[in-house]
Amino acid sequence: MIKIKPATATLHYSLIETLADTIWREHYIPIVGKPQIDYMLDKFQSVMAIEKQVEDGFEYFSIFYNGTLVGYISIKQETNALFLSKIYVLSYYRGKKIGKTAMEFIEQKANIYQLKNIRLTVNINNTNSIKAYEKIGFKNVGPLVTDIGNGFVMDDYEMVKLVRS
Ligand SMILES: CC(C)(COP(=O)(O)OP(=O)(O)OC[C@H]1O[C@@H](n2cnc3c(N)ncnc32)[C@H](O)[C@@H]1OP(=O)(O)O)[C@@H](O)C(=O)NCCC(=O)NCCS
């Protein structure tokens, strides 16, 4: 059974920091290399970074599968869209409709916030996730390159999904 619960306390952020460390190293080092992932984990997924993001309006949620923490989500309300900043599931648990269930949860949030679109960014070489997003109903709207400092860039596509209401 899949459950999605708000992550609101330092303990939750600490568990997400550990989860991110596992998932990002396994998934992204082959795509962008270790130096960039060391930098990005510290900049975006340390407890301190998460606390700062929450102050800035990001909401974090933990995903449980049969009681085990297996993933997390982060979203932020924007003027014209709900920004899906993070969606990560441990590799062992992928392909079990956890991402799809999480996306239904995110659509409900978009409806509550009266936002008609969900948008996300995904690395242009993150092929499996792009395929999953396409199956879930996202459309690629073009490349988006973001300078994240220290000589690193995020080389992404932006993808958008129209929310059913
Ligand atoms: C992307 C991710 C969140 C999807 O979660 P998931 O639990 O594996 O996805 P689901 O099992 O719910 O699958 C959703 C749909 O995508 C499809 N799909 C999933 N992985 C796929 C793949 N590698 N290739 C093709 N289709 C895929 C599924 O078949 C399903 O479609 P269907 O219902 O029509 O059969 C997860 O794979 C993940 O964490 N990936 C690595 C981290 C990452 O890149 N995160 C995104 C950062 S932008």
Side-chain angles (χ1 to χ4, degrees):
M1 193 213 285
I2 300 163
K3 281 200 175 163
I4 300 172
K5 296 183 189 170
T8 50
T10 306
L11 171 64
H12 303 148
Y13 305 149
S14 169
L15 294 170
I16 287 173
E17 178 188 71
T18 305
L19 206 52
D21 195 86
T22 303
I23 298 172
W24 286 36
R25 288 188 186 286
E26 183 197 52
H27 194 75
Y28 284 127
I29 288 176
I31 299 178
V32 298
K34 186 173 180 298
Q36 180 157 346
I37 288 312
D38 287 341
Y39 176 73
M40 287 177 67
L41 280 168
D42 183 54
K43 188 175 169 77
F44 299 122
Q45 298 290 250
S46 65
V47 170
M48 260 177 61
I50 294 171
E51 283 174 342
K52 174 78 175 65
Q53 288 161 30
V54 170
E55 271 173 38
D56 292 343
F58 286 82
E59 293 177 89
Y60 272 81
F61 299 89
S62 305
I63 307 173
F64 296 87
Y65 185 79
N66 292 338
T68 302
L69 176 66
V70 298
Y72 67 100
I73 304 165
S74 167
I75 56 173
K76 185 171 196 257
Q77 294 182 60
E78 296 177 338
T79 312
N80 295 316
L82 186 64
F83 177 45
L84 173 52
S85 170
K86 315 267 182 316
I87 177 165
Y88 291 98
V89 175
L90 280 170
S91 59
Y92 180 79
Y93 292 92
R94 287 178 203 150
K96 297 179 188 296
K97 309 286 177 209
I98 296 172
K100 209 169 184 171
T101 306
M103 210 54 85
E104 286 162 11
F105 171 87
I106 294 157
E107 286 198 26
Q108 285 169 15
K109 287 284 177 193
N111 276 321
I112 291 166
Y113 298 145
Q114 299 187 315
L115 292 167
K116 293 199 182 329
N117 294 290
I118 300 169
R119 74 170 194 100
L120 59 82
T121 57
V122 55
N123 185 283
I124 60 168
N125 295 311
N126 194 354
T127 319
N128 286 341
S129 301
I130 292 171
K131 281 185 200 155
Y133 289 143
E134 283 170 346
K135 285 225 175 139
I136 292 168
F138 281 82
K139 299 262 178 293
N140 189 335
V141 296
L144 189 70
V145 178
T146 310
D147 187 333
I148 54 168
N150 266 33
F152 297 118
V153 293
M154 293 202 307
D155 211 353
D156 292 335
Y157 290 129
E158 184 177 28
M159 300 185 81
V160 175
K161 179 176 184 179
L162 190 65
V163 179
R164 289 163 299 165
S165 50

